[in-house]
Amino acid sequence: MALRGESVSGGIAVGRAVMLRTRHGWVARLPILPENVESECARLRAAAARGSAKLSALAEESAAAIGGDLASILSAHAMIAIDPTFLKPVERRIRREQINAEWALRATAEEIRERLAGSSDPVFSARGEDILEVARSIASELSENPQGFDKDAIEPGAILVADDLSPAQAVGLDPEQFAGIALERGGVHSHAAIIARSFGLPAVVGVAGLLDLAGRRRPMIVDGDRGVVEPAPSRPQLRRALERVSQNREREAAASRVDRRRVRSTSDGTRIAVRANVELPAELKAVERFAAEGIGLFRSEFLYLAAGERPPTAADQEAVYAGLLTACRPHPVVVRTYDLGGEKGWGPRDREASALGLRGIRHSLAHPELFRDQLRALLRASGKGALRILLPMVSSPAEVTVARRYLAELAAEEHLTETPPLGVMIEIPAAAVLAAELAAVSDFFSIGTNDLAQYVLAAERTDASVAAYYQPAAPAVLRMIKWTIDAAKEKDIPIAVCGELAGDPFGAGLLAGMGVRDLSMSPVLIPRVEEFLAAHACSELETLAAEALACSCAEGVRSLSDRWTGGKR
Ligand code: PEP
Ligand code: MG
């Protein structure tokens, strides 16, 4: 049975499923043999005992550190974890349904929560959340490798199957090990999806029912072209899919023989620079393969996420930046200073920050020691190529002024007479509105349409329940973009777009029509954007942009897009 989801990255993959334990702590429903039922129950009891012991220890620690309230909650959780009235129904479910302990735990805890939620007594309904929390702690003990899976045990060409993926987990993956990715949750605009795309692997997200149907090590098909996953394919389906895999390989081999120094333009010869969005140095291969004109956005926060609990040292960072600059020369490399916080939380406190919390430049200014280390590393590497520094999540000119002061102080310490151009991401509505004032203190702008859309439309980019509201080409977003472009032109500073809208052929056409001549996107998206731009004259794109800007709703822009692309996006 084919399962529908949303395509994040095209192509088709066939491989055996590898199930990744995710931040939500649950795994798939796996049938077990009748003779293994008792050992599965014993596994559950042992995990519950370990979980309970850990919770008690945590309770003691927190009593010493922060006093009573949290400690008493944790002690209560420790007791629930080994309470037979909770564990017995889980065991009964394992025996009755002959399924794995993790799944039985989840199903039972959710059932209890639902029952308690119906109670009119708030104490009882809150108890349901406690039960779920306890079940999660036990599930984490059940996992042999709480961080995810044993990377060394993965056969090459596997399909990564998970509920969802945090950016930190995504960045820890080795794309060489996988043929494709399928996620039950996740949105196309999440950072995990952006990374999956940058791997260039077929990927489909938001596949409801995936974990129920996928089986560990069973062959499956991920069709990124159609946004479909086939968790239990028939032989003819497998054969057809494998034929497509080999056709794609041949096409890719032909594409890799293209001229790496080519430039892109519209059909009337208007030059549009097409650069790459990169998260990790390993993606340099893709920058070269798709002949990107340098890096238009290096998301440096992934260096922090990949480094784990400790920040990368200034020396490690310098080596990475120098490597990027040398590889891309003579093209520019735009390094965005780290945009940690929110979805890209680093450390337990950060993870709690919301999209409106301490992110980007706000995080940097709150942690000047980290920020200055990064700026120093950038300055030290700056001689290796054409470096530009970009500040994320700016909402006022004062933030740019402080960053510029740090940069000048550090440059003096490093005996440098010049500092690299310092630019600003326009991704908060306040920044777009103040574009003229920001242009007065910035050397260039780069529009982040992913966040700009989220904040203009008040629709979180990772929340599937508001996915229909999250429309980066909605007229309200387009008008803010146009306002920003006009302000940059008026003040005569360069302007680029590095949000995902630039990697969509129609979106790129719209942006070119509004006057943008510098676009940055996941390298795999370059060929289709290039093709669309080359097929249209600049004057046509200007008419298109004017029509889109005049629309009153996102549906109007979508029907324009369907007309221009024949419904293919
Ligand atoms: C954006 O917000 O458009 C952007 C490019 O940055 P990120 O997706 O990393 O938030
Ligand atoms: Mg952003």
Side-chain angles (χ1 to χ4, degrees), residues 45-69:
R45 286 191 297 272
R50 279 198 307 276
S52 173
K54 280 195 188 159
L55 287 165
S56 299
L58 265 181
E60 268 173 44
E61 260 175 47
S62 70
I66 45 174
D69 283 357

Side-chain angles (χ1 to χ4, degrees), residues 191 297 299 336 339 344 359 392-393 425 427 448-452 455 461:
H191 285 96
L297 173 67
R299 292 181 161 101
R336 174 173 75 185
D339 180 13
K344 289 175 287 189
R359 263 191 71 181
M393 299 290 292
M425 283 202 75
E427 53 183 346
T449 54
N450 307 340
D451 278 314
L452 188 61
Y455 298 124
R461 58 199 268 193

